[in-house]
Amino acid sequence: LLPVTLAVKKLSPSSIFVICADDDFMRGGNPGIAKAKEAARAVNGIVVTPKFPENRSEEMTDFNDMRKSAGLSEVHSCILRGVKNAKS
């Protein structure tokens, strides 16, 4: 993720980067969120994470899983909330 983020930053240096992290909540150190934070820090970007019910299955970790369970409008709202919260 980091090399791609840095490469895109070179192509579009004035862009605001929103990194949509995987929430690898069942893996030690949550590598999805850790790598997203690393990439966002490198480009002064924003990290957003998918939101799930507390009783989610182990397989529900990313925005595509969120889309399948809650719908595209919920994904859209989640990303917008994440960006708004990061800016305030």
Side-chain angles (χ1 to χ4, degrees):
L1 182 58
L2 179 60
V4 172
T5 305
L6 292 172
V8 175
K9 180 69 172 180
K10 284 184 181 180
L11 295 172
S12 187
S14 62
S15 292
I16 297 170
F17 286 77
V18 179
I19 309 295
C20 295
D22 287 2
D23 183 3
D24 299 321
F25 71 107
M26 295 298 292
R27 295 180 61 196
N30 201 326
I33 291 178
K35 294 293 184 180
K37 286 181 178 179
E38 176 187 42
R41 273 193 303 272
V43 296
N44 199 28
I46 297 166
V47 175
V48 294
T49 57
K51 303 299 179 214
F52 297 102
E54 289 194 28
N55 63 344
R56 68 173 158 166
S57 70
E58 293 180 16
E59 294 81 28
M60 296 178 78
T61 60
D62 61 28
F63 280 96
N64 188 50
D65 297 326
M66 184 181 173
R67 178 197 57 81
K68 289 189 280 186
S69 68
L72 189 56
S73 64
E74 286 300 315
V75 170
H76 182 255
S77 295
C78 179
I79 293 170
L80 289 178
R81 276 191 308 274
V83 170
K84 181 180 178 182
N85 290 341
K87 288 184 173 184
S88 55

